[in-house]
Amino acid sequence: MLITGAASGLGLALAREYLALGDEVILTDVHADPPAAVQGLPGRWSYRRLDVTSDADWAAAAQDIDSLDILVNNAGIAVGGSLETTSMESWQRIVDINLLGVVRGCRALAPKLGRGGRLVITASAAGLVHAPKMGAYNATKAAAVALGETLDAELRPRGVSTSVICPQFFRSGLAESLSGDDPKADEMARKLLTRTRLTSEIIARRSVRGIEARRVVITPDALATFFWYSKRFSRVPFLGSTRLIGRAVARQG
């Protein structure tokens, strides 16, 4: 299997889970050499530098890899802020990584998946339910969910399933990628990403169960599941609650 964004956070936790199952894992990230956390991994693994925004890096990976059982498009960043405070540069960066990075990965390596293969995309609960002050992040993660559901329909006929992981905020390195366009929104995002009992390891363990069950949308925690089902089956109260949150955020500036 190959995992992007695997040097830390959920990518590294997923690698540990699959290595413990005896799988051979190719960990990829933007670092030239594997960081210390990767170097200490047990099991059968290799590391390659792969920037998900680089067509050349993806082409090289496709040339070097003959076949895969699992492809995990995990690399991503976070951007907080309202529409007017989020710069076009931040929009372009997050779209290039969170959405087009997944598209490049699927185009390059999905053809390497044989019958029984699994294609995995790390999205977010923000791709299912959309809170204020997170427009850029919400949009790219919603697009990732839509892409995953589309690819599931396209690839199932040849025996390849697609799963999209949609957790709520959990402790990972995602806070380090915040753009700084809106300091207040960034600070709130940091609190949500750090003041939670959920860790990358918990999310990875639960996600692997969903991947192995070939579930299309995986909500690996109770709150993400609650929000998603609330939106689906209690839409009017759900919209009312999100608008109340929007008004509260507006009052706080």
Side-chain angles (χ1 to χ4, degrees):
M1 66 182 301
L2 181 143
I3 307 174
T4 67
S8 62
L10 182 58
L12 181 58
L14 286 168
R16 288 195 177 105
E17 289 291 322
Y18 278 102
L19 286 168
L21 293 173
D23 292 308
E24 182 178 354
V25 181
I26 304 169
L27 297 92
T28 75
D29 215 302
V30 293
H31 308 286
D33 299 305
V38 173
Q39 293 177 19
L41 289 172
R44 296 182 299 158
W45 63 270
S46 60
Y47 177 87
R48 69 180 295 143
R49 184 189 183 280
L50 194 156
D51 180 346
V52 297
T53 68
S54 169
D55 292 327
D57 282 4
W58 280 116
Q63 185 173 6
D64 293 342
I65 297 169
D66 293 328
S67 63
L68 279 175
D69 297 303
I70 307 174
L71 168 63
V72 183
N73 293 281
N74 170 75
I77 62 170
V79 170
S82 62
L83 181 65
E84 62 268 22
T85 61
T86 305
S87 68
M88 285 308 301
E89 290 78 11
S90 293
W91 270 97
Q92 289 165 347
R93 181 167 178 260
I94 196 170
V95 168
D96 205 18
I97 295 173
N98 288 10
L99 176 57
L100 296 182
V102 177
V103 172
R104 292 185 186 95
C106 293
R107 285 175 55 83
L109 294 182
K112 306 288 184 175
L113 295 167
R115 181 163 291 276
R118 280 146 286 173
L119 191 157
V120 183
I121 298 170
T122 298
S124 167
L128 303 173
V129 296
H130 312 122
K133 295 280 189 174
M134 295 173 56
Y137 188 71
N138 292 345
T140 56
K141 293 304 184 179
V145 173
L147 177 62
E149 292 179 335
T150 302
L151 291 177
D152 186 73
E154 292 182 4
L155 298 178
R156 285 267 179 173
R158 66 179 179 92
V160 175
S161 62
T162 302
S163 297
V164 185
I165 306 172
C166 297
Q168 62 154 311
F169 291 102
F170 62 96
R171 297 200 298 273
S172 70
L174 196 61
E176 298 171 5
S177 68
L178 291 164
S179 67
D181 290 343
D182 187 329
K184 288 185 178 180
D186 285 355
E187 182 58 28
M188 178 57 69
R190 287 190 187 94
K191 290 178 180 178
L192 291 170
L193 287 164
T194 56
R195 297 180 183 180
T196 171
R197 67 174 186 83
L198 290 173
T199 64
S200 298
E201 290 73 23
I202 292 171
I203 298 299
R205 185 170 62 251
R206 296 174 181 176
S207 295
V208 168
R209 291 200 293 265
I211 294 166
E212 296 306 306
R214 300 185 183 273
R215 288 169 51 197
V216 179
V217 175
I218 299 169
T219 50
D221 61 89
L223 195 58
T225 303
F226 172 77
F227 283 146
W228 186 36
Y229 277 80
S230 295
K231 181 178 179 180
R232 292 172 68 192
F233 301 115
S234 306
R235 186 163 181 81
V236 173
F238 175 83
L239 288 175
S241 65
T242 57
R243 289 166 184 167
L244 283 173
I245 294 170
R247 282 196 283 271
V249 169
R251 284 197 299 270
Q252 294 174 5

